[in-house]
Amino acid sequence: MKRITKVLIIAMSLLVLLVACKGKASEAEIKAFLVSKEGTFGWQATSDPILLDFLVDGRLVIQGPDGEATLWEGKWSVAGDKLTMERTDLGKTETAIVKIEGENLILGDKTYTRFAP
């Protein structure tokens, strides 16, 4: 009976670990998610008028609140679940943990949605 209990405890622990890990996107999934889909152009947060567009080649197009009149080009990369952005508009490099919730992109405390003109 003790052996069965130990096996059940180990099995339940493994199940909990699998469920917890399943919610995390892989590095490749994050990279693919960041790049715009057909009919969309980057990401925009409701709390921030800046639009971020992640290009496949690692360039980051940053569009100001006045549309294409203000554009900057930075760079981006992903390591694990961390996104590093060279934000030339801010004159600094930012790193944030990436979370994907449905079709939303969560970077730190900001929620982004795909921009579809």
Side-chain angles (χ1 to χ4, degrees):
M1 187 66 165
K2 287 182 181 181
R3 186 177 289 178
I4 292 173
T5 303
K6 284 182 182 179
V7 169
L8 285 175
I9 290 171
I10 291 170
M12 291 299 290
S13 298
L14 288 173
L15 181 60
V16 168
L17 283 173
L18 285 172
V19 169
C21 291
K22 189 175 184 337
K24 284 191 169 185
S26 72
E27 198 171 294
E29 289 170 326
I30 291 171
K31 288 177 180 178
F33 187 76
L34 290 173
V35 175
S36 293
K37 294 181 178 182
E38 187 174 337
T40 67
F41 177 73
W43 296 91
Q44 188 168 29
T46 54
S47 62
D48 189 356
I50 301 295
L51 188 101
L52 303 173
D53 193 16
F54 302 92
L55 305 182
V56 177
D57 63 3
R59 288 180 294 145
L60 173 62
V61 177
I62 306 160
Q63 183 173 310
D66 54 353
E68 292 181 14
T70 309
L71 284 175
W72 297 271
E73 186 174 313
K75 295 179 183 176
W76 68 277
S77 63
V78 175
D81 65 347
K82 292 183 177 77
L83 169 66
T84 300
M85 298 175 286
E86 182 185 295
R87 294 285 306 262
T88 51
D89 60 322
L90 302 176
K92 66 180 183 177
T93 299
E94 291 184 328
T95 300
I97 293 177
V98 175
K99 293 180 186 171
I100 298 171
E101 291 184 0
E103 283 298 310
N104 292 326
L105 171 65
I106 314 296
L107 298 178
D109 62 350
K110 289 185 182 175
T111 300
Y112 291 83
T113 56
R114 293 186 189 276
F115 178 75

